[in-house]
Amino acid sequence: MEPEQPLHTEAMLLPEYVNRTLSSEEEQQVASHLQTCVTCQQELQEVTNMQAAIKHTIAQRPGPSPAAFSTLMRRIEQEKQTQGEKNTQPTTSSWWETVESAFRSLFEIQWVPALASVLIVGQAFLLLSLIGTPEGQQGQGSGTIYERGIPQGTPATPSLKIEVQFVETAQERPIRGLVRDLGGRIIDGPTEDGRYTLGFPISPGLSSDSILTMLGKHPELVQKAQLLGP
Amino acid sequence: MNATHWQDVTDLDLLKACLPDNQQAFEALYQRYEKRVFHYLMTVVNDATLAEEILVDVMLAVWKGLTTFQGQSKVSTWIFGIAHHKAVDGLRKVTSQQRGGIPIDDIVESPDPKDGPFEETNKNRLAELTNQAMMNLSADHREIVHMAFYEGQSYPEISELLGIPVNTVKTRVYYAKQQLKKTLQHHGVKEDIL
Ligand SMILES: [Zn+2]
């Protein structure tokens, strides 16, 4: 069905020749070929005329309505708001930044230096356990935090268990950041009324009170938090 | 400062001026491209409402990409590359009936005497025929005709924005042009006009 191949390779370059977008070498090649080839001269004429007709045709089309621009601006505003929400929350970018921010938050609540050094030794293990693949999947409704990808699973070590109810509108990423910053993980949930159980490894200097205090500093994410016991 | 302030600024400088959050510069960028992108989208999807929806998507993607654009390609190539991807998605939404345009045989063959002077009428009829002939090409062919003949993009640029080899661009433009010629000749457009 396709038309036959052109006789000369130069014929294929004619639209570019007309547009003056060929390299000077190719342009030279086409120009000298055109001096002797009647077929390509005719093809050049056709290409030129057809381009003129197409330009005339398309230029006659109306442009988009001004409403398109207002729609665009509205959507950009929405994007900015979404981005603004993200930017005010801890985000994870690089592995190192994750480690750093996790430790900054530890020092902010003035945990004993001894704990910090223990954690520095154990940081790789801690991070690995955070990024570990979820296990113990349970049948859960759509839109749960579990499905949005927060790592959870059964902790290998005994832990403090804290039950948390997150604010309904809280986004997954800041929640994930908060749980991670506190060195915990989600080990169960959500219940039907949206409560999660967080597990924190038991270690000297880490009290349930300090965790609850930290959670309490994030009312934009945490609606309720209470100790379930070890 | 209004949009005309940006008239003599290059695409790249205009793009840079949009950052960090210069709405006037972005508006100027939009004005510079709205018609071109819209016309391109009309060629591909042949539906004004859909083309306008996609235009908004394209320019939103441009806005989002402002911080990551590295200048590795021309601004126009980058924007039309985005438009190409969005147009391909958009095409999936329209039915084949809408996509095919009006059958060429439905076009009124004889000029209407009240349309004005003969020359003008002929030109308009040729424009109408050309438009219909384009719409009867496959989406790939009318897209490349638009890029090469209307936008005047170079083959390497078209290759980059469509993600196909330069040789494919060459043959596709050639075949699309032959197809257009055939259709137009079939409808009585004389060799000397073409
Ligand atoms: Zn030749």
Side-chain angles (χ1 to χ4, degrees), chain A residues 7-8 10-11 33 37-41:
Chain A
L7 287 170
H8 311 126
E10 285 82 2
H33 176 80
C37 180
V38 179
T39 317
C40 283
Q41 283 171 13

Side-chain angles (χ1 to χ4, degrees), chain B residues 26 38 68 70 105 115 134:
Chain B
F26 184 72
F38 183 72
T68 49
Q70 305 274 320
D105 289 320
D115 276 357
M134 265 185 85

Side-chain angles (χ1 to χ4, degrees), chain A residues 3 5-6 12 15-16 19 43 46 49 51 54-55 57-58 61-62 65 68-69 72 75-76 79-80, chain B residues 21 27 30 38-39 43 52 57 60 64 127 131 146 148-149 154-155 171 174-175 177-178 181 193-194:
Chain A
Q5 282 279 346
M12 303 260 246
E16 280 216 279
N19 289 338
E43 177 74 13
E46 283 179 15
N49 290 344
Q51 183 172 46
I54 287 169
K55 283 196 169 179
T57 302
I58 296 178
R61 292 179 188 166
S65 75
F69 185 69
L72 173 65
R75 290 193 43 198
I76 286 178
E79 279 294 324
K80 281 182 189 170
Chain B
D21 187 19
E27 190 168 346
Y30 176 86
F38 183 72
H39 283 167
T43 294
E52 206 162 288
D57 285 347
L60 184 67
K64 284 184 190 172
N131 193 42
H146 188 103
F149 287 69
S154 76
Y155 288 180
T171 49
Y174 183 79
Y175 288 138
K177 184 249 154 199
Q178 299 305 325
K181 181 187 162 189
I193 296 175
L194 264 187

Side-chain angles (χ1 to χ4, degrees), chain A residues 149-184:
Chain A
I150 291 182
Q152 61 177 356
T154 316
T157 50
S159 62
L160 289 168
K161 285 183 189 159
I162 287 177
E163 189 183 65
V164 176
Q165 186 153 18
F166 292 107
V167 174
E168 216 171 300
T169 53
Q171 299 287 307
E172 172 243 330
R173 197 203 275 253
I175 290 177
R176 193 210 302 256
L178 176 62
V179 174
R180 196 189 329 235
D181 283 355
L182 294 177

Side-chain angles (χ1 to χ4, degrees), chain A residues 33-180:
Chain A
H33 176 80
L34 279 169
Q35 286 181 344
T36 55
C37 180
V38 179
T39 317
C40 283
Q41 283 171 13
Q42 199 196 329
E43 177 74 13
L44 176 65
Q45 195 55 53
E46 283 179 15
V47 167
T48 310
N49 290 344
M50 193 169 283
Q51 183 172 46
I54 287 169
K55 283 196 169 179
H56 178 72
T57 302
I58 296 178
Q60 279 186 335
R61 292 179 188 166
S65 75
F69 185 69
S70 351
T71 309
L72 173 65
M73 282 301 143
R74 205 168 49 241
R75 290 193 43 198
I76 286 178
E77 281 312 311
Q78 286 169 355
E79 279 294 324
K80 281 182 189 170
Q81 278 173 14
T82 316
Q83 279 184 1
E85 281 163 20
K86 279 183 194 158
N87 289 342
T88 56
Q89 305 301 339
T91 54
T92 54
S93 23
S94 73
W95 178 84
W96 173 244
E97 279 169 12
T98 309
V99 177
E100 222 197 17
S101 73
F103 278 89
R104 245 200 329 271
S105 69
L106 294 185
F107 290 122
E108 271 166 17
I109 58 167
Q110 294 173 331
W111 277 343
V112 286
L115 171 67
S117 61
V118 167
L119 283 174
I120 286 166
V121 173
Q123 64 176 258
F125 173 76
L126 175 72
L127 279 164
L128 281 177
S129 70
L130 278 171
I131 312 166
T133 47
E135 33 183 331
Q137 303 193 2
Q138 298 156 16
Q140 287 154 344
S142 62
T144 64
I145 289 184
Y146 172 77
E147 285 184 342
R148 282 182 270 154
I150 291 182
Q152 61 177 356
T154 316
T157 50
S159 62
L160 289 168
K161 285 183 189 159
I162 287 177
E163 189 183 65
V164 176
Q165 186 153 18
F166 292 107
V167 174
E168 216 171 300
T169 53
Q171 299 287 307
E172 172 243 330
R173 197 203 275 253
I175 290 177
R176 193 210 302 256
L178 176 62
V179 174
R180 196 189 329 235

Side-chain angles (χ1 to χ4, degrees), chain B residues 149-164:
Chain B
F149 287 69
Y150 185 71
E151 277 293 329
Q153 308 245 29
S154 76
Y155 288 180
E157 279 163 9
I158 298 174
S159 151
E160 187 185 338
L161 74 89
L162 296 185
I164 57 176

